Amino acid sequence: MKILMCRPDYYGIEYEINPWMKLEHKVNHADALKQWNELHKTILFCGAQIELVPAAPGWPDMVFTANAGLIYKNQIILSRFKYPERQGELPHYQTWFTQAGYDIANPTTNVHNQPFFEGAGDALLAGDILFAGYGFRTDKKFYQQAAYLDQHKLIYCELTDPYFYHLDTCFCPLNAELAIWYPAAFNQEAQKRMSQQIKLIAVSEEEAKRFACNAVVLDQHVILPTNCPNITTLLQNNGFQVHACEMNEYLKAGGACKCLTLRLD
Ligand code: ARG
């Protein structure tokens, strides 16, 4: 189990690109670092290794490595960020993946006029099924055009609530058979399609808004934000060991535990 993270050296709220972000909600940098360190420590405790991509000045959301891309069949599918506020992260990620020896499925030649894709923020694997989130940051067309994706194993998940703008804010596979989700974030059709594919445990609105679904799953360990008691009990009843990390500095940007990580294997 290998995870990519990026230190919050340049993290901050410098623009508003989702409904959680408010310029007046300034980040407390000391707390942000403390929370990131705690998450880092918890991930190591759960038995995973961590790689670090160097933070780049001027890209305050680069800390959210989930959006760098998606590891799929030993390749990295790089993101095509929707907002210019994040597009400059891409060359930094591409450099890191290249130097680390990854095969890049979609090198950044001609990124213009291509459909948007925000990586493991929107595309989540459960076994070999890819839950393909779209609607806010990722275009459905991206998946349809991607020759390297197994089209038979895609489950399209249309997101409809702007507060849950990435799939990983409202859905989290625990293994190939079981996932947690916040159903109200999806349209009826997606809800039906998803329920036919995997067993789902619903998270309450209250806990979903505390990013309960934004969990890091490492075998039987689940790391999620603090103050999510109901889903914690449900996960424990299903045999998972739950770890809570304070994430309030990252909730200000519309992110939490899972957004701060990218699974590399
Ligand atoms: N402020 C970031 C954005 O709006 C947060 C990204 C959260 N990442 C995620 N995978 N949900 O792009």
Side-chain angles (χ1 to χ4, degrees):
M1 298 187 292
K2 221 194 248 178
I3 300 283
L4 181 67
M5 293 182 77
C6 175
R7 289 192 190 283
D9 300 347
Y10 306 103
Y11 172 58
I13 308 294
E14 294 176 17
Y15 44 76
E16 300 176 358
I17 57 168
N18 70 55
W20 303 96
M21 298 179 90
K22 298 277 173 265
L23 284 171
E24 60 272 25
H25 294 167
K26 294 266 166 267
V27 165
N28 176 318
H29 289 280
D31 287 351
L33 182 60
K34 205 165 115 193
Q35 291 169 15
W36 187 92
N37 279 330
E38 194 57 37
L39 177 66
H40 184 274
K41 201 170 101 189
T42 309
I43 290 171
L44 293 177
F45 174 84
C46 295
Q49 286 168 269
I50 298 178
E51 304 269 356
L52 292 176
V53 53
W59 304 107
D61 271 333
M62 199 175 160
V63 69
F64 298 112
T65 52
N67 300 120
L70 170 74
I71 296 287
Y72 184 82
K73 297 187 176 166
N74 298 319
Q75 286 191 311
I76 174 79
I77 304 174
L78 287 172
S79 289
R80 303 288 182 244
F81 286 95
K82 173 163 181 171
Y83 292 111
E85 285 86 341
R86 296 201 65 184
Q87 286 166 358
E89 298 173 31
L90 185 59
H92 297 284
Y93 285 127
Q94 176 153 5
T95 302
W96 188 86
F97 282 108
T98 306
Q99 285 173 356
Y102 284 81
D103 277 342
I104 298 180
N106 56 343
T108 54
T109 45
N110 191 19
V111 286
H112 298 290
N113 304 320
Q114 280 192 22
F116 298 120
F117 174 60
E118 295 206 355
D122 269 330
L124 297 173
L125 282 161
D128 59 357
I129 299 292
L130 187 68
F131 287 84
Y134 69 96
F136 292 101
R137 300 299 191 81
T138 295
D139 294 321
K140 188 176 187 182
K141 225 175 16 182
F142 179 89
Y143 303 111
Q144 293 166 328
Q145 289 182 355
Y148 38 79
L149 289 174
D150 184 345
Q151 297 291 327
H152 300 293
K153 293 192 169 158
L154 291 183
I155 301 294
Y156 286 107
C157 310
E158 185 172 1
L159 299 161
T160 49
D161 180 337
Y163 280 92
F164 299 95
Y165 59 94
H166 276 142
L167 184 62
D168 70 358
T169 64
C170 49
F171 173 72
C172 175
L174 301 163
N175 53 42
E177 283 88 43
L178 186 63
I180 59 173
W181 73 332
Y182 176 55
F186 301 93
N187 67 11
Q188 292 288 326
E189 216 186 309
Q191 288 185 22
K192 193 167 151 212
R193 215 176 284 129
M194 293 166 80
S195 340
Q196 284 167 347
Q197 196 59 47
I198 196 162
K199 189 170 168 233
L200 291 156
I201 301 176
V203 169
S204 67
E205 180 180 355
E206 212 185 339
E207 294 188 7
K209 289 192 164 159
R210 291 195 203 111
F211 273 51
C213 297
N214 202 250
V216 181
V217 181
L218 299 164
D219 291 337
Q220 290 305 106
H221 295 278
V222 181
I223 308 169
L224 42 72
T226 52
N227 296 315
C228 298
N230 295 333
I231 193 64
T232 296
T233 307
L234 289 169
L235 288 167
Q236 286 166 341
N237 292 344
N238 278 277
F240 292 93
Q241 196 175 325
V242 181
H243 310 265
C245 284
E246 179 58 68
M247 282 286 125
N248 73 305
E249 291 303 330
Y250 297 98
L251 291 169
K252 291 175 182 172
C257 313
K258 157 70 172 59
C259 304
L260 294 168
T261 67
L262 177 70
R263 186 75 187 247
L264 292 173
D265 56 7

